[in-house]
Every structure is written in C-alpha cells, then in structure tokens.
Amino acid sequence: MKKNILNYLIAFFIIISLNFFVPRLMPGGPIEAIYGSEVLLNISPETKEAIISSFGLDKPLFGQYFQYLVSILKGDFGYSFYQNSPVLKVILNHLPWTLGLMGSALFFSTSFGILLGMESGWKRGSKIDKFLLNFMIFSASFPSFFIAILFLILFGIILGLLPIQGARSIYSNLGGMGSIVDIIKHALLPMASLIFVFTPSTYIITRNSMISNLAEPYILLAKAKGLKETKIKYYHAGKNSIIPVMTQTGIRFATRLITGALFIEIVFSYPGMGSLIYNSIQLRDYPVLQGSLLVITILVLVVNIILDFFYKKVDPRINYAY
Amino acid sequence: MLKVENLVTRYGEKRILNKMSFKLDKGETISVIGESGTGKSTLGFAVLGMIGEVSENSKVEGKIEIDGFDINKLDKEDLRKLRWKKVSIVMQNIDDALNPTITVYKQIEEVLDKQENRNKKIIDILKKIDFPLNRKDAYPHQLSMGERQKILIAMAFISNPEVVVLDEPTSSLDTETKNKIIAIIKKLSENKAVILLTHDISMAKKLSNRTLVLYGGTTVEYAETKKLFKNPRHPYSRGLIRSYPDSSRTKDLQGIRGRAEFVKTGCPFYKRCTQAIDICSIKKPKLLKRNGSFIACHRGGIIPLIKMEKISKNFGKLQILNSINLTLFEGETVTILGKSGAGKTTLAKILMGLVEKDSGNIYLENKEVKRFDAEYYKKVQMVFQDTRSSLSHRMKILDIVMEPLVVQDIGTRQQRTGKAKKVLSEVQLPSSRSFLNEYPHHLSGGEIQRIVIARALMLEPKLLIADEPTSALDASVQAKILKLLNNIQENRGLAILFITHDLDLAKKVSDRIVKLENGIIS
C-alpha cells in the first residue's frame, strides 16, 4: 500500500509539472497565454513589463517553477480576470455540481450494470439475457450528447415533465426540502442520460466475467456443496465478476468525467465543471482551464486510490501483483 | 448404503457410462480405475446428481440409491439438500476448485449452514488433517497444493456424509505429500462409503477393498483389490497395471497397444486386445462372475495359453523332469531359471515336440496337444540357444526368414516376401534387396539374433520359447533385443517362455520367475 501511494505521488508530481511547463511551450508569450492575444494591442510596453514582473515571469524558469509548486500547495491556482475572482473559488463553485451529478450517475450505472450483468450471465441464453444484451448494445451505440438531446426533447419539451436547463430554478425562494426536490428534478434528465450511456459497458463486462466464472470448477464445487442458488450467484460467482468492473471503472473514470461532464452539462446548461471548461475555452480563460485540468487530474488519482483499496479487499490475489 | 444399478450416462449422442452396477456398504472403499476419459469423473458427478450441471444435453438412466433416496428421481431442491449431507466430493481440479477470493475457512464453514458449534468442528478436522491452524484464514493462492488438497478433503468430510467421492485426490502432488494425504483419507474414511476415482494404482491398492476397472465407460473387471492387482484377469486390467511404475516390480514398463477409441458394437477393448477373436467385435461381453470376481470378456479373461501337467522325463536312470506343472498366460513372460543341466532346455524341447516326454499332458489354449503338427507350430515357435548354428549358412536371409511359410505352405512367393519384409522391419532390420540377399555369416551377433526372432515371428505365434536368447551377445545388444521382445509382446500379446541362468536378467524381463532344480519347479 505504501509503495502504491508513492506511485500516485510521483504521478501527481509529474502531472503538476506538465501543467506548469506545457503552457510555456505554447506559441506567444506568457501574457498572451494568460490574457489572450488581444491584450498586446492595448497595453504599453511599461505596463507589459510591470505585469511580467508582478507575475514573477522575469525570474529564471526554475525559480518560477518552485514558486508555482509552493502556490499550488497553498491552494493558490491563479486569478481569473474574466471572472474577476481567484481560480480556486471559481472551480469550487462548479465542482460540487459535477461531483453530485457524476457521482450519482456512476453509482447508479455501475449498480445497474453489475446487477443486470450478473442476472444476464447467470441465465445465459434465456429470454431475459437476450433482451438485456440487445438493449445494452443498442444503447451503447449512441453518443452521450445524442441521448441527452433526445431525453431533453422527449421528457423536457414534448412531455414537459422536467426542467430542461440549469441546476436549480432561478429566482425561486425555495427553502429546505423544496430546494432539495428542485435540485433533484433538475439533475434527473442529465443523470438519466449519463446512466443510459454508462450502464452498458459495466453490464457487458460483468456479464462476460460472470459467464467465464460460472465455468470455473469452484462453481461446480459450490453446487455440489448444496449451497443455495443466491449464495452461488452472488457470493461465489458475483463477487469475482465485479473485479474487472472495478479496474475498468478506474481507467474510464477520466474519460467519463470529460465526456459526461462536458457534453451532458453543455446540453442541459448544467453549471458544473463541464460548462466551466467549455466557457473558459471559448473565452480563452487559461488560468481557469489550467486549474480545472489540475483538479480533474487530482480527482482521477483520488478515485483510483480509493478503487485500489477496494480492489484489494475484493481480490486478495492482487497484493502479489506488486 | 450406496447402490448403483445399470447406470447409463450420455453427453449428447455419446454414451459415457454403460450399465454400471455396484454396491457399497459403510466402511468400504471402492476404487474405480481406468485411463483418462473413461468416465471416472462422470461417475463421481452422477453420484451427486450433477450430470446436468456438467453438461446441458446430458442424460442419466438407471438407479443411484443413497440411503434409500434415488438420486435420479429427486427434484432439484431435494437434491440440493441431500448434497453434502449424505454425499460429498473432492473434485479433481485442486487448482481451481477453491474460490480464489474467499478464505479457506469460510469455504469450509459454508457447508455447515448455521450450526452452532461449527467453529469447533472446523478446528477439530483441521487438527485431524494436520493443517496449520494459523493458516486457516488464508486465501487459496497462499497455500501449497498439498494444503489446498487437505482443505478440500476436510470440506468433504466435515459434514459427516455417508458417501464420499474422491476424484484423483493426489494426482498433482509429490510422493511425500501424497502419502500424507493417503493416510489422512484412510483416517477420515472409517465408517464411510468411499468411491475413489483414480488412475493411480498404488493409491487404489492402499485405500480400497474392492476395485472396479473401467474401460470406455464399461466395467471390464470388478474384484477384491488385492486379488485384482496380484492377478488381473482382464487383458485391460493387466495392461493398466503393467504400465504403472511400481517399485516391487522389476519388469520394464509396458503400455497398451493402440489408443482409446470409441467403439459402437462389441467389446469396447477389442481393437487393443491381443487375444480378441471374431465374436469380440460383434457382441458386447456380459459382466459375469468367475472365481469370485466379475469379468466382462468373451474369452473369460486372459487365457491360459499353454498348460503343462505332470511332465516327467528320464534319460536312462537320470531323472531330468519330475512331474512339472506350469501354465503360461497370453501376453506374459515366464522365466525358467536354473543351472546348466537342470533340464531347462529339455523342457523347452518337450514343448517344441523335439524330445518326447515320458508322461504328462500339454494343453494349448485349453485343448490337449496330441500331435505336434503344423497347426501347433503356427502357435508355438522357438529361438534356440546357439543361434548361429540354427541358421543354414547356405541360405540367404530372405529364404531363412520365409522358410516357416514355405514349410506351412502359406501364401505365394510375393506374399511371403512382403511378410518377411514387414517382420524384418518389426525387429528393426533393413529390408533392402541387398540385405535380403546376404548370407548369415556376413551378419553380426545382434543381427543374427534378430533374424532368428524374425523367423520365429513369421507365423504370428502366440508363444515364443526363448532359450538363452542373448547369452552370446554383449550387454548393449542384449538390452536392445530384450526391449524388442518387450515391444513385440505389447503389440502382439505374445507369451514368452524365457530360459536363462541369469537372475538379474530374469527379473528385468519377466512377469513371473520359476526355478527349475532337481527336476522340480518351485
């Protein structure tokens, strides 16, 4: 475990270093990188000098790098001039929405995928299995934004059941329970789209893994032992079938965060990290972009650490892999 | 306690077990032996009512009764409740039989349901099998093969079932661990009915009272274990025992000719059997009781090829042979060991009809031999002690080898030549034109020996009398000739009466050794 954490620390260090150096490799000077190319037309050389020295950009590269590391550790991610607010504060305004949306979507899609996958694998070749398998392959072949738009039109506009944009009703003075219900109502459609898109891969992996586990001699022995069907299904075969799901979730978390957050949030104008990144790209708000990427990377690392921990709980053999 | 009657199992079209029947009482162990793929594991699964779990389009007919319950008639739920309470199994595959992500303790515990004293029970049995208690919470991959096997055995016995199936319980273990496991099984299986499925003959010997030999899903022999291993009656049982290394046997290993094939009609073994006759390929032999054991063979088991009864011979006043009794079975090598002048060669010559006996009878395939005619020599041939002088130096190799066919007036010259070439290649000699036209004095001692053996084999005899066949050869050539004889025996079921004064040699080549001394056999 210690070795593991060290590995993650090294990964983290490499990432923040890249985050520092990559922008400096971009064409144009740091001022353009920070404020956009238009800025050069509007400032005098003196102002430019002043800005450069105020940011410490005239110091040697190593000194700047050290300075950067210290500020990151202090929680200083820079300042957004478009938003006129520290980057960290901007990010922290958007992050909870994404975390809530993504977290619940991931939770539900993984749960559904695992449960349905186990059921399907256990009854391989049955009508239920065939239906589920076809449905999952069907739904997996849609891009996430298409599903989102479809849901939005169907449930939001045609049926008018749910709000179609934002994370909560603006200008409403809902308090307590009312506001929670309101937030859930707003989250339902984006969440449903995410679940719809995420579930198939978990389902298919669980099903396949279940089928191959069911052919193992220990399942035959479990049956010979006269164990109850539920115990064989969930305890003996099921538990081992979620191992590949866990690995896969860790690996795909990053892509899911981006695709999920970016596309879905934009379609529903949901004020999460996706919308923030999208807007920042359009406005060329580089400090926010840089900060967001850093936060996402950290998130991915944290999720992987947590999964690693559970992975070892589920599969004791993994300790030997290091 | 366990009764299996006319058990038939099929996977799809293929019949795996064919009308198997046996009974097993408390405290008894039955070994079921046979090569891989013969249906041993299928029997194990059938006893647990699990044929359907192993393969979807499978069928079971017949009766398996455990403690009054007919396994094949119970519904799924009753069957589930019966499993492990009445009947348990140690499965073959130690590697994957334990769930990799559950501790072994929990895997044992789950068969005890929610019994109150289950912890004590588990600890007790782990102590009994000598399993280190501090390792009980280990995962399977952290244990050695032997330890995993112990866990599987503990699991099978802990619920105190009446019938336990052990499917190759030691197949992937080293000898030391294997012996420990055998001791453990012995200790635990008191008061149980145990079915031991194995190809390990030494284990079957140590653990079981009775042994059933399975070939192609059919019971070919069923007898008391001691009796069966000492004196196997079915050619397949003998082949199986011969091919299994055993430190108490000095003869070289022999296999069984051919390979296991699925046979639709007739005796499942007839293609590989060296004593098969016409009926064997047409009709399936029934399992019949003979001398206290059961055997399924049209010929009643391995046939006594030649039987000598009270053979006596005097040369003047000198008594050479005094009432000799000796029987040779099909496919076995018997050595007559004795000093020079003990009468070994005289006995051989009597068998060949070269010396007349004073009294006594000779039976060939259970028929008394009245005259030594051409028919007799088709079945009995000899390799003489002084090989070089047993070949005419004026005949070419081809003519020498062909001569028996000429004498018996069998075939055309072309056919005889063809046969000669085939037999020469069987004894690993060239069959080129130049070689066939050689004279014997051009050949080495080893080659001469092979020529003589080839000549003896031309008539496809059932008995070969070999009188000191290697005494003139150096050790390495001797080794080759003996291996050759061994292989010919494996392929043709040839019985060999081997005559020598060399005890070490006798041990190496023969199934049985008899001593000829003062005219008496012992």
Side-chain angles (χ1 to χ4, degrees):
Chain A
M1 194 69 195
K2 264 183 196 165
K3 218 173 168 183
N4 222 357
I5 295 224
L6 189 73
N7 281 338
Y8 280 113
L9 281 177
I10 292 170
F12 175 67
F13 184 73
I14 292 173
I15 287 162
I16 54 174
S17 304
L18 282 177
N19 210 28
F20 171 78
F21 286 109
V22 169
R24 278 161 180 77
L25 297 176
M26 291 206 293
I31 305 292
E32 297 159 67
I34 297 171
Y35 299 109
S37 52
E38 300 86 3
V39 79
L40 288 183
L41 302 170
N42 305 327
I43 55 169
S44 61
E46 293 82 32
T47 328
K48 192 180 169 189
E49 284 295 312
I51 291 172
I52 285 176
S53 74
S54 81
F55 280 110
L57 290 172
D58 50 350
K59 286 181 190 153
L61 199 63
F62 185 77
Q64 290 181 34
Y65 178 55
F66 186 73
Q67 186 67 43
Y68 166 76
L69 290 183
V70 172
S71 338
I72 292 282
L73 291 180
K74 277 186 192 160
D76 177 6
F77 282 41
Y79 194 84
S80 165
F81 291 91
Y82 285 105
Q83 310 253 2
N84 202 11
S85 148
V87 169
L88 191 64
K89 204 180 156 197
V90 175
I91 291 174
L92 287 181
N93 273 336
H94 289 80
L95 192 60
W97 294 114
T98 296
L99 281 186
L101 185 64
M102 283 293 298
S104 44
L106 267 180
F107 173 79
F108 285 118
S109 65
T110 311
S111 310
F112 291 160
I114 288 174
L115 280 176
L116 295 175
M118 280 184 190
E119 215 57 46
S120 221
W122 180 257
K123 289 187 180 144
R124 184 191 184 183
S126 68
K127 275 184 185 166
I128 294 182
D129 173 43
K130 279 180 185 157
F131 170 76
L132 278 173
L133 187 62
N134 285 322
F135 177 76
M136 290 294 177
I137 290 172
F138 177 74
S139 67
S141 42
F142 288 109
S144 58
F145 60 86
F146 178 79
I147 293 292
I149 292 169
L150 204 71
F151 277 15
L152 186 139
I153 294 173
L154 186 66
F155 296 104
I157 296 171
I158 298 179
L159 299 174
L161 293 174
L162 292 163
I164 56 167
Q165 66 150 351
R168 54 178 152 195
S169 309
I170 323 164
Y171 308 124
S172 64
N173 283 324
L174 295 166
M177 275 311 287
S179 104
I180 291 174
V181 170
D182 183 52
I183 287 171
I184 291 176
K185 262 188 175 174
H186 278 82
L188 265 181
L189 274 185
M191 202 162 84
S193 330
L194 284 175
I195 292 172
F196 197 82
V197 179
F198 288 167
T199 308
S201 63
T202 309
Y203 162 84
I204 284 168
I205 289 173
T206 314
R207 179 180 177 274
N208 284 355
S209 160
M210 188 83 177
I211 285 169
S212 65
N213 279 329
L214 285 175
E216 291 287 337
Y218 62 80
I219 295 296
L220 211 55
L221 183 62
K223 286 177 183 169
K225 278 156 130 182
L227 301 181
K228 287 197 175 108
E229 189 179 294
T230 45
K231 185 146 192 185
I232 301 172
K233 182 159 49 166
Y234 298 117
Y235 188 56
H236 279 280
K239 192 180 162 201
N240 294 338
S241 301
I242 56 176
I243 294 169
V245 176
M246 295 183 73
T247 353
Q248 184 246 13
T249 309
I251 294 166
R252 290 209 184 165
F253 181 75
T255 44
R256 285 187 165 177
L257 198 70
I258 304 289
T259 52
L262 256 180
F263 293 131
I264 306 285
E265 284 181 11
I266 292 163
V267 171
F268 290 99
S269 311
Y270 205 74
M273 290 300 288
S275 299
L276 177 66
I277 291 170
Y278 176 70
N279 290 331
S280 307
I281 290 173
Q282 287 201 320
L283 296 169
R284 295 181 181 243
D285 191 348
Y286 291 108
V288 172
L289 267 181
Q290 234 176 313
S292 306
L293 290 179
L294 195 61
V295 167
I296 287 176
T297 340
I298 294 170
L299 255 178
V300 170
L301 286 181
V302 169
V303 166
N304 275 291
I305 290 177
I306 294 170
L307 280 174
D308 252 10
F309 176 74
F310 281 111
Y311 196 17
K312 277 176 197 165
K313 290 261 165 203
V314 177
D315 189 353
R317 286 169 298 183
I318 215 65
N319 284 318
Y320 280 68
Y322 288 100
Chain B
M1 186 172 288
L2 170 73
K3 210 155 95 188
V4 175
E5 264 174 35
N6 290 325
L7 178 65
V8 177
T9 63
R10 280 173 231 267
Y11 292 144
E13 284 297 298
K14 202 172 171 192
R15 198 162 54 190
I16 304 293
L17 289 176
N18 194 352
K19 295 209 171 167
M20 187 179 209
S21 302
F22 64 88
K23 257 194 218 169
L24 205 55
D25 278 325
K26 212 174 183 172
E28 276 187 317
T29 299
I30 185 172
S31 303
V32 177
I33 60 171
E35 288 162 296
S36 350
T38 193
K40 299 189 298 281
S41 296
T42 303
L43 171 67
F45 287 124
V47 171
L48 274 102
M50 286 190 56
I51 294 292
E53 310 283 359
V54 180
S55 168
E56 274 173 20
N57 51 358
S58 55
K59 264 189 196 156
V60 187
E61 292 157 30
K63 197 168 168 187
I64 301 170
E65 208 178 276
I66 295 177
D67 210 23
F69 295 97
D70 187 346
I71 295 285
N72 295 339
K73 283 190 182 142
L74 292 179
D75 67 21
K76 243 186 159 178
E77 186 58 19
D78 287 339
L79 204 53
R80 185 183 75 72
K81 284 182 183 153
L82 185 104
R83 285 185 197 144
W84 233 263
K85 309 267 178 320
K86 300 261 183 214
V87 52
S88 66
I89 186 170
V90 173
M91 290 203 325
Q92 188 173 3
N93 217 326
I94 315 173
D95 254 356
D96 313 312
L98 291 168
N99 191 324
T101 61
I102 301 175
T103 64
V104 291
Y105 180 87
K106 280 189 184 159
Q107 293 192 55
I108 298 178
E109 190 186 25
E110 64 185 359
V111 303
L112 293 175
D113 278 345
K114 292 195 170 91
Q115 292 179 28
E116 288 207 342
N117 52 351
R118 59 184 188 274
N119 184 43
K120 191 180 162 293
K121 266 191 177 172
I122 296 171
I123 301 290
D124 277 354
I125 199 157
L126 290 181
K127 275 184 190 159
K128 238 187 213 172
I129 61 168
D130 206 18
F131 184 86
L133 285 181
N134 57 345
R135 309 274 289 134
K136 71 180 166 54
D137 291 316
Y139 289 96
H141 68 275
Q142 296 165 326
L143 300 176
S144 70
M145 280 291 194
E147 286 169 327
R148 276 184 243 177
Q149 188 64 68
K150 281 180 180 176
I151 291 293
L152 287 168
I153 289 170
M155 198 187 278
F157 283 95
I158 197 165
S159 57
N160 201 18
E162 284 160 38
V163 180
V164 179
V165 179
L166 303 169
D167 192 354
E168 302 283 9
T170 61
S171 59
S172 45
L173 304 176
D174 60 273
T175 319
E176 200 191 326
T177 319
K178 189 168 118 180
N179 289 336
K180 274 185 196 159
I181 297 280
I182 289 175
I184 287 167
I185 292 174
K186 206 159 198 172
K187 195 157 61 173
L188 292 175
S189 56
E190 284 168 15
N191 295 322
K192 304 248 182 306
V194 177
I195 304 176
L196 175 66
L197 311 169
T198 185
H199 60 249
D200 183 338
I201 279 165
S202 71
M203 185 168 55
K205 262 188 200 169
K206 283 179 194 156
L207 285 175
S208 61
N209 332 78
R210 278 180 290 146
T211 296
L212 190 151
V213 183
L214 206 57
Y215 184 80
T218 306
T219 310
V220 293
E221 189 170 356
Y222 177 34
E224 273 172 39
T225 300
K226 270 187 201 157
K227 205 169 157 184
L228 190 127
F229 287 114
K230 202 175 161 220
N231 194 9
R233 298 292 306 130
H234 195 280
Y236 176 66
S237 318
R238 182 179 65 187
L240 202 61
I241 292 167
R242 272 188 180 171
S243 46
Y244 194 80
D246 177 349
S247 54
S248 65
R249 189 158 33 89
T250 50
K251 193 185 179 190
D252 271 347
L253 292 181
Q254 277 176 305
I256 301 171
R257 69 169 182 178
R259 59 191 171 82
E261 267 179 85
F262 183 63
V263 175
K264 268 195 172 161
T265 53
C267 172
F269 189 59
Y270 86 90
K271 280 190 180 165
R272 302 176 77 184
C273 185
T274 51
Q275 57 169 35
I277 48 177
D278 292 344
I279 192 172
C280 300
S281 65
I282 302 163
K283 210 177 141 196
K284 199 179 166 75
K286 279 186 181 138
L287 193 66
L288 295 174
K289 197 165 186 174
R290 284 174 210 263
N291 302 330
S293 51
F294 291 87
I295 179 162
C297 180
H298 284 303
R299 308 204 68 180
I302 300 162
I303 51 166
L305 192 67
I306 202 145
K307 197 169 164 188
M308 288 167 257
E309 219 176 62
K310 294 182 180 167
I311 303 277
S312 296
K313 178 71 191 173
N314 296 323
F315 285 131
K317 283 192 174 170
L318 187 67
Q319 194 183 43
I320 301 292
L321 301 171
N322 181 11
S323 193
I324 301 283
N325 290 316
L326 182 64
T327 306
L328 237 86
F329 287 93
E330 198 262 358
E332 82 170 340
T333 304
V334 173
T335 296
I336 298 182
L337 192 69
K339 285 184 250 173
S340 326
K344 305 181 305 260
T345 304
T346 307
L347 185 65
K349 284 182 174 167
I350 288 175
L351 267 183
M352 280 306 281
L354 301 174
V355 168
E356 221 170 295
K357 58 187 187 293
D358 291 348
S359 63
N361 296 318
I362 297 172
Y363 299 88
L364 179 69
E365 295 186 329
N366 286 328
K367 269 180 226 147
E368 196 183 342
V369 180
K370 299 241 165 78
R371 280 187 312 126
F372 293 94
D373 52 8
E375 282 304 307
Y376 181 81
Y377 292 118
K378 266 187 197 169
K379 296 204 166 138
V380 182
Q381 284 285 312
M382 183 157 174
V383 173
F384 289 90
Q385 189 166 8
D386 187 355
T387 28
R388 206 173 273 272
S389 63
S390 75
L391 300 179
S392 164
H393 61 276
R394 274 171 304 181
M395 286 169 84
K396 291 177 179 171
I397 303 294
L398 179 64
D399 296 320
I400 291 171
V401 176
M402 258 174 23
E403 202 185 10
L405 295 181
V406 178
V407 172
Q408 295 265 352
D409 196 21
I410 297 171
T412 61
R413 184 170 170 86
Q414 221 175 353
Q415 286 169 335
R416 289 172 192 162
T417 314
K419 176 91 187 170
K421 284 182 177 174
K422 215 177 126 200
V423 174
L424 281 173
S425 76
E426 199 175 344
V427 298
Q428 292 156 16
L429 281 176
S431 51
S432 62
R433 187 181 290 262
S434 60
F435 182 79
L436 293 176
N437 287 323
E438 294 270 8
Y439 285 97
H441 59 270
H442 289 143
L443 303 182
S444 70
E447 282 171 320
I448 293 279
Q449 202 63 44
R450 286 168 201 249
I451 294 286
V452 172
I453 292 171
R455 182 175 63 180
L457 292 178
M458 279 300 276
L459 291 168
E460 305 201 346
K462 294 303 285 180
L463 172 65
L464 184 70
I465 301 167
D467 189 2
E468 301 273 9
T470 56
S471 57
L473 304 175
D474 61 70
S476 76
V477 181
Q478 167 175 300
K480 280 187 184 156
I481 297 286
L482 294 177
K483 263 193 184 157
L484 179 70
L485 284 176
N486 210 22
N487 282 338
I488 292 171
Q489 180 169 66
E490 179 183 320
N491 286 325
R492 293 189 169 199
L494 188 70
I496 300 175
L497 187 67
F498 199 89
I499 293 172
T500 185
H501 57 264
D502 184 341
L503 178 64
D504 293 328
L505 183 65
K507 276 186 178 167
K508 205 65 206 161
V509 299
S510 46
D511 296 288
R512 278 191 293 149
I513 300 175
V514 294
K515 247 188 187 163
L516 186 60
E517 222 169 7
N518 304 327
I520 297 168
I521 262 181
S522 56

